[in-house]
Amino acid sequence: MRALPDARDYRFHTLFSHEEIRGGAAIPARWLHEAGLQRLHDFAGSIDAIVGYWDFPVSTLLPLLRQPFGLPSPSFAAMLKCEHKYWSRLEQQQVVADHIPPFCAVDPFADNPRSRIPLDYPFWIKPVKAASSHLAFRVDNGRMLESALSRIRASLFRFAEPFNYLLHFAELPPAVAGIDGFHCIAEGVISRGRQCTLEGYVFQGEVVIYGAVDSIREGRHRSSFARYEYPSNIPHRVQQRMIALTARFMRHIGFDNGPFNIEYYWESGNDRLWLLEVNTRISKSHCPLFRAVDGLSHHQVMLDLGLGRQPRFPQRQGRWRHAAKFMWRVHEDAMVERVPTEQEIAAVCERFPGTDIQLHVEPGMRLSELRDQDSYSYEIAVIFTGAQNRRALLPKYRAIQQALVLKLQ
């Protein structure tokens, strides 16, 4: 944010550190809410915007922190109609029913949960609130369902308890009131096509889309993100249909004065669009991609909206015509023996211009110690890089991987 062109006009203050928010085994939602309000009330200067670009609990907390200070924000209800996966599907069912899978709520602690799921195999099951595909499982039969439910029951509390605290501040409709954070949603499989994410915002009722990013998956069930590519290679006419569906849904739930991103699958064979989910924030993963291609991080969009201003965002003014975020994944647990030094990473970035490398591991740790991973892989690093054509991105990434000396055993 300090690299934005007019950052000299801002004064940034940290409300919470990463360690305070996600550093422990539990997510302290009550403390974050109460301490956040106290810190804001104790602040001696003017408070002109409160912003954040992380998923839960940050995105969910923002409306509750902004409201007492009269700051621009989507309403808490509109936020939940995106973030509570079951409530979101109920709202989507009212206006874009042809573009969502069959679904139902599931109590993973009930006796014989399968008898209460009216879906045929295969289907996906996941908590009504999580992040980064955490505890999301594809189930093809009863054995896989019981295995998934067992893992969900063991770990669901990490998101369920803090989410339930925040739900107390909402007026939930009867269909949602009994479906708290200790519940799951089961959905028919829609992940057969090409995945695309629209980055956009709503300002004073106007829905604006300023970028489309392709998501390429890998691994078992093709459920793990391999890379994000910008700009999207999906046909413009298909993107326009996604934009129209997005505007219909965001207006229906009354979402206003905030950024969002929304994920779709497009089945090219039958030209079918499926809505996957809506996130009520900018994607931090996409920020370097926009900076590389458009010349500016979309933190600018977040800040403008936080200040109650119409966002200003450039198009195609960056150094590269294409950019990608690669997620370096390992699909089996292992011990980390060696990682590249800071000097080695710097040398690789200099050798491959437009590259940024972020390691998630260190020597002596097991991959299973990484927090909030998806259900089928471990993300050990991310690599951002740019190129002048799409075909050059993947070979450049492979060369960067080979140049980094990282050993697992």
Side-chain angles (χ1 to χ4, degrees):
M1 291 189 289
R2 291 190 174 95
L4 294 172
D6 52 358
R8 64 185 179 278
D9 299 328
Y10 305 133
R11 185 167 295 167
F12 300 107
H13 301 270
T14 299
L15 185 58
F16 289 110
S17 68
H18 178 278
E19 187 66 22
E20 288 176 312
I21 294 172
R22 297 283 281 271
I27 298 172
R30 178 188 292 273
W31 178 81
L32 290 168
H33 180 219
E34 295 175 349
L37 289 175
Q38 188 63 53
R39 291 178 184 184
L40 291 166
H41 281 296
D42 291 345
F43 181 67
S46 65
I47 299 173
D48 303 295
I50 303 172
V51 298
Y53 52 86
W54 287 354
D55 205 323
F56 185 80
V58 173
S59 56
T60 320
L61 273 168
L62 281 173
L64 298 178
L65 296 177
R66 291 165 173 159
Q67 190 274 332
F69 300 93
L71 296 172
S73 178
S75 69
F76 188 53
M79 191 81 70
L80 286 177
K81 289 176 184 178
C82 298
E83 297 203 349
H84 188 302
K85 294 183 186 300
Y86 181 68
W87 193 359
S88 191
R89 286 301 194 201
L90 291 177
E91 295 294 331
Q92 294 164 25
Q93 194 174 52
Q94 296 181 41
V95 290
V96 291
D98 292 341
H99 303 279
I100 64 173
F103 66 95
C104 69
V106 179
D107 179 357
F109 300 95
D111 294 332
N112 192 14
R114 179 64 182 108
S115 66
R116 309 180 188 203
I117 302 176
L119 307 180
D120 295 330
Y121 294 119
F123 56 80
W124 282 88
I125 188 166
K126 50 193 171 184
V128 298
K129 187 62 204 172
S132 303
S133 299
H134 182 58
L135 295 179
F137 299 94
R138 174 176 162 136
V139 294
D140 296 337
N141 52 51
R143 178 185 55 79
M144 293 175 69
L145 176 60
E146 186 49 47
S147 174
L149 289 171
S150 177
R151 292 181 62 180
I152 288 170
R153 287 191 290 263
S155 303
L156 189 57
F157 70 93
R158 176 163 165 79
F159 286 88
E161 291 181 351
F163 190 54
N164 281 357
Y165 168 75
L166 296 175
L167 286 179
H168 289 148
F169 297 94
E171 293 185 16
L172 303 176
V176 179
I179 311 301
D180 67 4
F182 284 98
H183 284 73
C184 294
I185 182 172
E187 299 184 339
V189 175
I190 59 173
S191 53
R192 289 181 288 266
R194 295 167 59 183
Q195 187 175 356
C196 178
T197 300
L198 303 182
E199 287 280 356
Y201 62 86
V202 187
F203 179 71
Q204 296 183 0
E206 180 186 7
V207 181
V208 177
I209 302 298
Y210 55 86
V213 181
D214 286 339
S215 299
I216 291 85
R217 293 177 178 259
E218 67 178 18
R220 186 179 178 187
H221 311 308
R222 298 189 62 80
S223 60
S224 300
F225 286 112
R227 64 188 183 275
Y228 303 138
E229 289 185 3
Y230 180 65
S232 171
N233 193 42
I234 287 178
H236 180 72
R237 63 172 181 82
V238 179
Q239 294 184 37
Q240 290 302 117
R241 288 167 52 205
M242 294 178 185
I243 292 171
L245 291 172
T246 300
R248 190 187 311 168
F249 176 67
M250 301 309 279
R251 289 179 182 134
H252 168 72
I253 64 173
F255 188 96
D256 202 2
N257 299 315
F260 68 86
N261 61 76
I262 185 167
E263 302 174 47
Y264 289 93
Y265 280 102
W266 173 53
E267 293 183 16
S268 57
N270 57 15
D271 203 21
R272 188 81 183 268
L273 282 177
W274 298 100
L275 196 167
L276 179 58
E277 65 180 20
V278 188
N279 300 299
T280 56
R281 54 180 171 78
I282 65 169
S283 166
K284 63 184 178 67
S285 294
H286 296 166
C287 289
L289 310 186
F290 284 113
R291 186 168 60 244
V293 175
D294 292 327
L296 189 64
S297 164
H298 64 164
H299 283 92
Q300 185 68 59
V301 172
M302 177 186 73
L303 288 175
D304 283 339
L305 291 165
L307 292 163
R309 303 190 306 212
Q310 173 79 53
R312 304 150 292 154
F313 200 70
Q315 288 284 304
R316 311 300 187 259
Q317 296 181 25
R319 177 180 180 182
W320 307 97
R321 294 183 62 188
H322 297 266
K325 173 187 178 180
F326 291 91
M327 287 74 108
W328 188 343
R329 295 190 179 277
V330 174
H331 295 270
E332 299 291 340
D333 195 11
M335 180 73 74
V336 181
E337 182 177 332
R338 184 192 190 279
V339 301
T341 66
E342 291 185 6
Q343 294 77 10
E344 290 171 339
I345 291 174
V348 172
C349 291
E350 183 176 356
R351 177 181 165 190
F352 298 94
T355 297
D356 180 60
I357 299 167
Q358 301 170 12
L359 292 180
H360 299 334
V361 295
E362 58 188 31
M365 73 178 294
R366 294 202 67 82
L367 300 186
S368 52
E369 297 172 19
L370 290 165
R371 289 191 185 278
D372 302 333
Q373 300 294 296
D374 72 28
S375 301
Y376 300 104
S377 70
Y378 304 99
E379 183 183 278
I380 63 173
V382 295
I383 296 173
F384 295 91
T385 197
Q388 297 305 345
N389 61 74
R390 288 182 67 249
R391 290 188 300 275
L393 284 171
L394 193 55
K396 185 176 181 181
Y397 168 61
R398 297 301 186 203
I400 293 168
Q401 278 185 306
Q402 291 176 3
L404 293 170
V405 182
L406 194 155
K407 296 181 180 179
L408 305 175
Q409 62 177 3

